[in-house]
Amino acid sequence: MTKLPLLLLLLPSLVFAQQKNIYHKGWVDFNKNGKMDVFEDPSQPINKRIADLLSQMTVEEKTCQLATLYGYKRVLKEEMPTESWKNEVWKDGIANIDEELNNLTSKTDAASTQYSYPYSKHADAINTVQRWFVEETRMGIPVDFTNEGIHGLNHDRATSLPAPIGIGSTWDKNLVRQAGQTVGREAKALGYTNVYAPILDPARDQRWGRVVECYGEDPFLIAELGKQMTLGIQEEGVASTLKHFAVYSVPKGGRDGAARTDPHVAPREMYQIYLYPFRRVIQEAHAMGVMSSYNDWNGEPITGSYYFLTELLRQKFGFTGYVVSDSEAVEYLYSKHHVAGDIKEAVRQAIEAGLNVRTNFTMPQTYIMPLRALVSEGKVSMKTLDSRVADVLRVKFELGLFDYPYVKDPKAADKIVHTPQAQAMGLQMNRESMVLLKNADNLLPLNKSSVKKILVTGPLAKETNYAISRYGPSHNPVTSVLEGIKNYVGNGSQVTYTKGCDIVDATWPESEIIETPLTAQEQAGIDSAVNQAKQSDVVIAVVGEDVDRVGESLSRTGLNLPGRQLKLIQALQATGKPVVMVMINGQPLTINWENKFVPAILEAWFPGPESGKVIAETLFGDNNPGGKLSITFPKTTGQIEFNFPFKPASQAGQGGANSWGKTSVNGALYPFGYGLSYTTFDFSNLQVSPEKEHQQGDIKVTVDVTNTGKVKGDEVVQLYLKQELSSVTTYEYDLRGFERVGLNPGEKKTVEFTLHPDDLAILDKNMNWTVEPGKFQVMIGNSSENIKLKKEFEVEK
């Protein structure tokens, strides 16, 4: 099957290929010398192939393997190779080309192209670009085609997933593995060889705009889901590049944009919270890529840090892939952090630290030329240069690019990308990401036969941009919440719509601190919604944030519903009609009034294109919400930092010894792991075996969970671990296991967990991971604050 596509693939340059005679049975003559070199021999060990290739490369060719070329329209000016490329720096090759011909939709750098769709056309186009590098450069080193993929592959009409914060709320490891496989499979079919996903940053400051792009706040949950996503992607023969290493997600004050710096994180906390997911995913899933972050830690910029990029990443964690910089992170060494006086010194610091590939929205020579000068001046040794290049080549060899550099069957892409099965998986992930926050008097699910007049209102009811936000697929048709509800109820109920208010008012965000009176137009909008509500059986208010209110460079200082949305909710609630509040948002919001007075609240996060369908199914009971919060909802920004896990008493109120007065709002609005259901569950028969174990042994934990309600539903069984006494202060308790279980009414299942020594380990006084002898408590619950069962075991010396 592959011979015919290969022949078709080579037709445009058949004369060239015959002249050079580079394509042979089982190998490619990349350096065009007429013989099979060691690096061209698939039977040779990779390290030997790397050494042989390096020995034949010039400094020019080596330095070109250490820079990214951003794809068409972002930096590259031509869609297809042209004669002028012979005069460009990449005539000597290039490490990778990012987001090439993916038809990116972005406010800042949209990159429309004719080659993104049909999918087979893109695969052919990637082959054409790859062929240029193989055939027209001296050594013929293939390109690593990179692309984003945190909620589905960042390509025109690829399969969409909900935003990562929604993926995190599924707590479904098997489904996340399937999602990774889908991303990897589609990438491979389209010609991409490296996907920038998953994001492993713990989102510990709810104000931070990129919370929407993270799985949540807890390092264990992030590690478990990130591991599955990475395994899924790489099982399809595509590299997974982890983002953003390291301590990136807690800039001072949660500020993003021009800030992205100065995390106030102690060393032990850095290891236990921020490095933990990276260590686990690198060691257990063997991710082939890591992206270095913009920020500093303790005054040391990560992208110029030997400690982070070499000692931690390679020597301690065992990473063997290549490190790519976040865009402009190298330049920040002199433009923001001021640890380098100019670009040349910044380049020197980065490459000495362990950076492999620099990425920026400029032509690659802005990095390559200073690097060549440093080598010629002896300021960067050939040994260092070779080591950095070897890491890049290793990934290319492991991906098989030196055995077959092309998409083998471009036409197959049309049958592989965005299949009905993949779309069904994405739809299921959307369903599982729904989190029911409140359901007073079982208002939900709504009864379609008894609810005849439905008002759908709110600024997000007809909005769709949240479903195609940055770093995921573009141009998929989106079903709005309004459309979804109309489609669901059909002709059986009357659905009316009025917007009620805009997402923000004219002076927002200043209006969060200096409120202005409602304009006549704003009052009329709310009045219209109120009048419609009075004539309705139920009000569905769709509120929250859109892509202009949360995301990269969009951190917030307040977390209330933006603009006049609370006023709309208050006016609707005052009608006495039942109000259901649907939230579409990317970060926890401080919805205190809403939680106190609105009877039903559904958290939908940023769902995918099927959002309207899924939300309608959930409101009317066809989808029983089983998602759980992967991040704490604080009551006020004044509580931040407020997260799980936490140190003993660090999030306590003002009761108890040496405490008096009432001066603060205490406790979580909704805790980590929280989420309601339309049914009920019971936990029983907690067993821990053995009850005494040595330091290197495993502990088996089993528990029974039963659906005690009347409808089918999913429960997330959560295992928390508490060490009763330790040599250093540890977290009050840690998440150390979870399983999402689907149960029919009356059905019981036994859930089994295995606690490994790594799950029990702490960083001791000498900063060594150690399992200390003593007593531990296993706690089983369905949120971090709703512990149902406890049992003790002991670790002996």
Side-chain angles (χ1 to χ4, degrees):
M1 289 294 291
T2 59
K3 288 182 180 178
L4 182 59
L6 175 59
L7 181 60
L8 293 173
L9 176 72
L10 302 178
L11 279 176
S13 53
L14 195 57
V15 175
F16 182 96
Q18 288 173 340
Q19 179 188 342
K20 296 290 185 182
N21 194 28
I22 66 171
Y23 300 104
H24 302 277
K25 186 177 180 180
W27 68 283
V28 180
D29 186 10
F30 290 99
N31 64 1
K32 307 159 192 74
N33 65 355
K35 64 175 185 177
M36 184 193 291
D37 292 87
V38 171
F39 85 90
E40 295 164 345
D41 183 353
S43 69
Q44 293 292 327
I46 284 178
N47 283 342
K48 277 191 175 182
R49 299 177 77 181
I50 292 169
D52 180 56
L53 178 51
L54 276 172
S55 72
Q56 298 185 43
M57 292 171 69
T58 64
V59 169
E60 287 74 20
E61 288 160 342
K62 291 175 181 177
T63 52
C64 279
Q65 291 301 312
L66 301 180
T68 294
L69 171 62
Y70 262 116
Y72 173 61
K73 277 198 178 176
R74 305 197 78 198
V75 169
L76 191 59
K77 294 180 174 60
E78 302 86 15
E79 287 181 281
M80 287 291 108
T82 66
E83 197 59 36
S84 66
W85 282 23
K86 281 289 190 180
N87 302 317
E88 297 287 358
V89 71
W90 55 86
K91 69 181 182 297
D92 295 311
I94 202 73
N96 56 38
I97 301 180
D98 192 37
E99 298 192 55
E100 171 70 335
L101 304 171
N102 65 350
N103 210 335
L104 167 69
T105 298
S106 172
K107 179 194 305 185
T108 54
D109 45 16
S112 57
T113 174
Q114 61 173 308
Y115 289 105
S116 62
Y117 186 86
Y119 307 122
S120 55
K121 190 174 183 181
H122 185 268
D124 274 325
I126 290 292
N127 278 346
T128 300
V129 176
Q130 185 74 285
R131 192 180 308 117
W132 187 92
F133 282 92
V134 170
E135 297 178 358
E136 299 291 344
T137 65
R138 188 183 75 94
M139 292 303 295
I141 298 172
V143 173
D144 184 16
F145 287 96
T146 57
N147 197 7
E148 303 285 351
I150 60 172
H151 61 105
L153 189 69
N154 188 19
H155 186 90
D156 187 2
R157 285 166 270 194
T159 301
S160 274
L161 306 173
I165 193 66
I167 296 174
S169 297
T170 69
W171 294 60
D172 191 331
K173 289 174 282 191
N174 293 330
L175 194 57
V176 172
R177 179 71 156 264
Q178 292 174 39
Q181 291 165 343
T182 300
V183 171
R185 189 182 310 121
E186 295 188 354
K188 181 90 169 177
L190 286 160
Y192 301 109
T193 49
N194 192 329
V195 178
Y196 292 162
I199 289 179
L200 298 183
D201 299 313
R204 304 286 288 182
D205 191 322
Q206 292 88 340
R207 297 167 298 182
W208 190 52
R210 302 193 81 171
V211 168
V212 68
E213 298 177 14
C214 301
Y215 290 146
E217 70 188 7
D218 180 81
F220 183 85
L221 177 68
I222 296 163
E224 290 289 304
L225 298 184
K227 173 183 172 181
Q228 298 305 322
M229 182 64 74
T230 300
L231 287 169
I233 290 171
Q234 296 198 161
E235 280 166 355
E236 301 297 328
V238 173
S240 167
T241 291
L242 314 176
K243 305 197 297 186
H244 305 87
F245 188 79
V247 207
Y248 171 68
S249 50
V250 277
K252 185 179 178 182
R255 287 181 274 272
D256 197 29
R260 293 171 166 165
T261 189
D262 198 19
H264 290 187
V265 175
R268 186 170 275 104
E269 181 183 10
M270 178 180 74
Y271 274 95
Q272 293 178 322
I273 300 290
Y274 296 95
L275 296 179
Y276 177 91
F278 287 95
R279 174 178 67 84
R280 288 264 328 267
V281 175
I282 287 165
Q283 292 176 347
E284 296 172 28
H286 308 292
M288 297 166 77
V290 163
M291 182 179 288
S292 71
S293 55
Y294 294 121
N295 56 287
D296 65 334
W297 178 76
N298 196 29
E300 191 172 357
I302 304 297
T303 299
S305 170
Y306 184 84
Y307 170 67
F308 278 94
L309 300 190
T310 298
E311 288 184 22
L312 279 180
L313 199 54
R314 297 193 182 276
Q315 296 170 6
K316 287 195 174 182
F317 297 171
F319 177 67
T320 60
Y322 78 78
V323 181
V324 60
S325 74
D326 207 342
S327 301
E328 208 177 343
V330 171
E331 287 73 8
Y332 281 171
L333 296 181
Y334 75 91
S335 67
K336 176 179 288 188
H337 299 296
H338 306 294
V339 297
D342 55 25
I343 180 62
K344 193 173 173 183
E345 173 58 15
V347 171
R348 189 197 67 78
Q349 289 185 19
I351 195 166
E352 291 288 350
L355 182 73
N356 297 105
V357 175
R358 171 273 207 175
T359 302
N360 196 5
F361 303 109
T362 58
M363 290 292 250
Q365 55 262 39
T366 57
Y367 179 82
I368 290 169
M369 295 310 179
L371 179 55
R372 287 178 183 174
L374 288 163
V375 173
S376 69
E377 294 165 9
K379 293 176 180 174
V380 169
S381 71
M382 193 60 67
K383 181 181 178 182
T384 298
L385 183 67
D386 284 353
S387 178
R388 302 297 175 264
V389 176
D391 295 329
V392 177
L393 296 178
R394 184 176 301 106
V395 170
K396 292 185 177 186
F397 276 112
E398 288 176 352
L399 290 172
L401 289 174
F402 283 95
D403 303 326
Y404 196 95
Y406 306 112
V407 180
K408 290 187 179 180
D409 186 1
K411 288 196 182 330
D414 293 328
K415 297 179 181 178
I416 293 172
V417 182
H418 208 146
T419 62
Q421 294 84 356
Q423 185 158 336
M425 179 278 303
L427 180 63
Q428 182 62 19
M429 185 164 267
N430 269 289
R431 289 177 177 136
E432 293 193 14
S433 69
M434 298 289 126
V435 185
L436 184 61
L437 297 179
K438 187 181 178 184
N439 194 22
D441 300 322
N442 294 317
L443 173 57
L444 295 176
L446 300 173
N447 188 331
K448 187 161 61 168
S449 61
S450 63
V451 177
K452 294 300 181 184
K453 292 183 178 180
I454 303 169
L455 170 63
V456 180
T457 184
L460 274 298
K462 289 179 75 173
E463 183 55 75
T464 58
N465 65 19
Y466 55 81
I468 48 172
S469 55
R470 182 73 175 93
Y471 302 119
S474 299
H475 310 123
N476 284 313
V478 181
T479 303
S480 70
V481 179
L482 176 62
E483 290 172 319
I485 291 170
K486 282 184 173 180
N487 294 341
Y488 185 89
V489 300
N491 297 323
S493 301
Q494 178 188 344
V495 178
T496 56
Y497 165 76
T498 182
K499 189 174 185 181
C501 68
D502 293 327
I503 294 173
V504 297
D505 58 282
T507 65
W508 189 87
E510 186 187 62
S511 59
E512 291 192 343
I513 56 173
I514 304 174
E515 189 173 344
T516 56
L518 289 169
T519 65
Q521 184 178 0
E522 288 172 332
Q523 187 64 61
I526 292 175
D527 290 345
S528 173
V530 166
N531 292 334
Q532 290 284 353
K534 289 176 179 176
Q535 301 168 45
S536 303
D537 298 324
V538 67
V539 178
I540 299 171
V542 191
V543 295
E545 304 167 308
D546 66 353
V547 293
D548 294 321
R549 252 50 65 170
V550 61
E552 187 172 9
S553 299
L554 296 171
S555 294
R556 291 185 58 188
T557 44
L559 288 175
N560 294 337
L561 283 174
R564 311 299 194 181
Q565 294 184 63
L566 174 56
K567 291 190 182 301
L568 172 65
I569 294 292
Q570 289 172 330
L572 293 168
Q573 182 66 22
T575 65
K577 296 289 184 175
V579 176
V580 177
M581 190 169 96
V582 175
M583 290 173 58
I584 290 177
N585 51 297
Q587 62 205 126
L589 300 181
T590 49
I591 50 167
N592 296 285
W593 190 96
E594 299 90 326
N595 177 65
K596 188 169 184 177
F597 295 106
V598 176
I601 304 173
L602 178 68
E603 174 60 85
W605 298 115
F606 269 19
E610 307 93 351
S611 52
K613 174 182 172 67
V614 171
I615 288 167
E617 289 176 345
T618 307
L619 294 177
F620 286 91
D622 283 351
N623 177 50
N624 185 352
K628 302 286 185 178
L629 295 180
S630 59
I631 185 169
T632 303
F633 276 51
K635 292 177 178 175
T636 166
T637 54
Q639 293 174 290
I640 294 173
E641 295 176 0
F642 198 84
N643 302 103
F644 184 88
F646 51 87
K647 294 289 180 72
S650 65
Q651 293 182 180
Q654 290 173 302
N658 200 36
S659 300
W660 58 86
K662 293 183 178 179
T663 58
S664 68
V665 173
N666 302 315
L669 180 60
Y670 308 112
F672 173 79
Y674 171 85
L676 304 176
S677 172
Y678 296 152
T679 189
T680 53
F681 299 93
D682 181 63
F683 295 86
S684 61
N685 194 28
L686 174 60
Q687 301 289 329
V688 178
S689 176
E691 293 187 4
K692 288 189 177 182
E693 181 58 276
H694 57 79
Q695 287 165 290
Q696 295 307 311
D698 288 344
I699 303 289
K700 297 286 186 184
V701 178
T702 59
V703 65
D704 293 340
V705 56
T706 306
N707 183 343
T708 54
K710 297 179 179 179
V711 295
K712 182 181 179 181
D714 287 4
E715 179 63 297
V716 178
V717 183
Q718 301 167 36
L719 186 157
Y720 295 92
L721 192 66
K722 179 181 176 71
Q723 187 166 3
E724 296 182 15
L725 189 67
S726 52
S727 61
V728 294
T729 303
T730 57
Y731 294 100
E732 182 71 7
Y733 49 102
D734 285 299
L735 179 70
R736 283 297 179 262
F738 61 90
E739 289 294 335
R740 183 165 179 144
V741 183
L743 294 167
N744 291 312
E747 186 180 6
K748 178 170 73 173
K749 286 183 181 176
T750 300
V751 179
E752 182 176 303
F753 301 97
T754 301
L755 293 171
H756 303 293
D758 186 69
D759 296 319
L760 279 57
I762 64 169
L763 275 173
D764 65 15
K765 287 182 178 180
N766 299 314
M767 294 296 283
N768 294 316
W769 288 102
T770 307
V771 178
E772 295 187 343
K775 293 181 178 179
F776 292 78
Q777 257 192 20
V778 169
M779 302 181 284
I780 297 289
N782 61 2
S783 91
S784 62
E785 290 187 4
N786 193 23
I787 302 301
K788 302 287 191 178
L789 301 169
K790 297 180 181 180
K791 200 142 194 175
E792 192 175 79
F793 69 89
E794 187 173 354
V795 171
E796 300 177 315
K797 288 184 180 178

